[in-house]
Amino acid sequence: MDALRDLKRRAILHPDDAGAAFALAEALLGAGETAEARRIAEQALLRSPAHGNLVRLAVACCRRESRTARARELLDAAVKAAPEDAALRDERAGILDEEGRLDDALLEREVADRLAPGDEGRLLALADGYARRGLVARALRVLARLDAPDGTDAARLAASLRERCPGAGEGLVERAAAALPPDAPALRDAVERLRRDDAALARRALARASDAERATGAHALLRAELLRRDGRDAEAAIALARAGIAEPPQDGPVPAHAAVGRIGALGWRPGSGCVSPVEAVAVPGEGRLAFSGNVGQVGREAGEVAWTCLRAVAARVGLEDALRGKDLHLHFVDTEISKDGPSAGIALWLAGASALSGRPLRGRLAASGELTLHGDVRPVGGLHEKLVAARLAGVSRVIAPRANRRELEALPAEVTREVEVVQVDDAAAALREALAAGGPRGESR
């Protein structure tokens, strides 16, 4: 009790001393006086918002009291005051995980890893988060930075990803054979031994490889094959990831390069967003619309509105001739994910306009906005989650409603640094911003 009394006296005599406040709050928390410890810590944070230990102690108090929202508010303020503090970002990522905001937690851990790379716990959390989001290549690249002996969490995660990653399974020997450099006798010998199912001699051949041979992709493929035959699947997947070989297609949900009738539609789900690939094809016909994909009634109505709007504003955007004698098919490609709601309207309209005109849309493009029959782009909900998902999916440009400008202004810098958000009021403006170089130019109303 005397020690606690001395700490209180010191805190009273030195009200601007963050260290004194921290020592008192820590002692109070240890004595079970959680509410008082939190009060002392929060008062001190008003004067020293970037004091990491005070923040963490206040957050620990909030967690004990099941006040998760307040804990996140404290961390938000602390990260704003000290954006280069990796430990604070790790702490905030943990809170975001508890709130079910997986995408935001991933962003925080990415920034923390950039500020202080190499923390094993953070790397494993990053890899697990990427895996849960279906970002297999990223998960394996992170795991490749870790030691993953059999039986560890990293090894188990790598093994679970192996079958989802092209190149981590069968066919490695023939891929190695195709990649053999002209002067690689040891690797050529290893290929022949593996073709005869003689793993022991193949391993000896690989051990004789020169430094130049060891630096090739063929060597990485053969090493992974030997690991796989030993039942060490996790190490095989990680070996390929370290060599930059075990990569799924790079386009992701949207094409990396300009393409006709292809765009990402941004969607929302609890705690995160998603990027659903949309395709449109125009075929000879009588002006009919076909619509397919795992889409609810409101989503199908968005497709009908987009089709009617295309015809209503055709003269304004230079599509009158393109519409004659054409049917349009709109399709949500990712049928495993159920979608509904009107916010895909502008993405569907842009895909249709591109397909009808034959002019490509930009690569790495996505859009979100409710569309009216006259071509107005109305505001949508969940834009924060949608834009974070776009950033994680590799989207570089997003068409969004100007009416959502307040939400757009509040986006984290980690999103706006990599995703260009173009605000529009109508479909004609959206088309101008979405078309690849050389596309037609309609007039905005």
Side-chain angles (χ1 to χ4, degrees):
M1 291 299 294
D2 289 342
L4 187 59
R5 189 181 306 113
D6 290 341
L7 290 172
K8 289 180 178 178
R9 183 183 300 111
R10 180 186 168 198
I12 291 170
L13 292 174
H14 305 281
D16 295 328
D17 186 344
F22 171 74
L24 174 57
E26 186 178 40
L28 289 168
L29 182 62
E33 298 183 39
T34 305
E36 181 63 10
R38 177 177 54 78
R39 186 187 69 80
I40 296 293
E42 289 194 28
Q43 281 185 347
L45 282 172
L46 295 175
R47 296 184 291 273
S48 305
H51 194 289
N53 285 335
L54 272 172
V55 174
R56 283 182 278 278
L57 191 143
V59 167
C61 292
C62 289
R63 281 178 154 168
R64 279 197 187 183
E65 297 176 312
S66 299
R67 301 178 60 174
T68 305
R70 179 55 182 160
R72 182 169 54 78
E73 288 175 4
L74 291 169
L75 285 166
D76 288 347
V79 168
K80 186 175 181 180
E84 303 299 307
D85 190 323
L88 287 176
R89 289 189 177 272
D90 283 331
E91 191 84 26
R92 185 159 69 167
I95 291 289
L96 291 167
D97 271 337
E98 290 179 17
E99 294 181 333
R101 294 171 57 185
L102 174 60
D103 289 357
D104 287 302
L106 274 174
L107 277 187
E108 286 299 312
R109 291 191 174 103
E110 283 185 357
V111 176
D113 186 52
R114 175 174 55 79
L115 294 170
D119 182 88
E120 290 194 6
R122 183 196 303 131
L123 289 174
L124 185 58
L126 258 178
D128 181 62
Y130 287 142
R132 288 159 61 191
R133 288 291 275 115
L135 301 170
V136 178
R138 290 196 202 180
L140 281 171
R141 283 198 296 271
V142 171
L143 288 174
R145 297 167 57 192
L146 287 165
D147 291 326
D150 289 340
T152 65
D153 288 339
R156 282 188 285 271
L157 180 57
S160 73
L161 291 171
R162 174 180 169 272
E163 296 303 327
R164 297 164 58 187
C165 188
E170 303 295 336
L172 297 182
V173 176
E174 295 310 314
R175 288 180 65 192
L180 282 174
D183 186 20
L187 300 186
R188 195 171 302 279
D189 186 22
V191 166
E192 293 305 319
R193 300 295 183 183
L194 285 170
R195 282 172 171 167
R196 298 171 193 165
D197 290 327
D198 192 339
L201 288 180
R203 192 172 286 105
R204 291 181 189 176
L206 211 59
R208 299 196 307 270
S210 66
D211 290 344
E213 289 176 297
R214 291 174 187 273
T216 65
H219 182 277
L221 288 162
L222 292 169
R223 180 170 177 270
E225 174 64 13
L226 288 170
L227 289 168
R228 190 183 70 82
R229 293 193 184 198
D230 286 343
R232 296 156 68 184
D233 290 349
E235 291 178 65
I238 289 174
L240 290 170
R242 282 181 178 144
I245 293 171
E247 299 279 332
Q250 293 299 303
D251 278 352
V254 294
H257 305 289
V260 173
R262 297 179 64 190
I263 189 174
L266 300 183
W268 179 91
R269 53 192 175 190
S272 66
C274 61
V275 184
S276 295
V278 170
E279 292 183 349
V281 174
V283 296
E286 301 175 356
R288 296 190 179 94
L289 171 69
F291 194 89
S292 56
N294 188 356
V295 186
Q297 181 60 34
V298 177
R300 291 185 176 275
E301 290 173 0
E304 293 170 3
V305 169
W307 177 229
T308 300
C309 178
L310 277 167
R311 290 178 288 177
V313 303
R316 191 185 312 139
V317 296
L319 290 175
E320 280 183 305
D321 292 339
L323 277 163
R324 291 193 182 99
K326 296 285 182 64
D327 289 347
L328 182 68
H329 190 149
L330 297 171
H331 177 59
F332 274 99
V333 177
D334 55 344
T335 54
E336 69 277 8
I337 301 175
S338 178
K339 293 164 286 293
D340 204 2
S343 68
I346 189 58
L348 294 167
W349 188 92
L350 288 168
S354 171
L356 288 164
S357 68
R359 298 298 183 91
L361 299 173
R362 292 170 175 263
R364 302 195 184 282
L365 176 70
S368 183
E370 182 179 351
L371 191 66
T372 72
L373 292 171
H374 295 287
D376 295 321
V377 179
R378 292 168 50 83
V380 294
L383 208 55
H384 172 93
E385 291 81 0
K386 292 175 181 179
L387 268 295
V388 172
R391 152 71 171 71
L392 291 171
V395 171
S396 61
R397 174 174 279 210
V398 168
I399 308 293
R402 193 182 306 278
N404 282 107
R405 57 186 173 275
R406 288 187 179 178
E407 295 95 320
L408 296 172
E409 289 168 358
L411 287 170
E414 293 75 34
V415 172
T416 55
R417 271 199 298 264
E418 297 190 32
V419 181
E420 180 187 11
V421 183
V422 181
Q423 302 176 40
V424 299
D425 295 307
D426 57 65
L431 185 60
R432 289 198 303 275
E433 298 293 346
L435 285 169
R441 300 286 179 177
E443 291 184 5
S444 180
R445 291 182 298 135

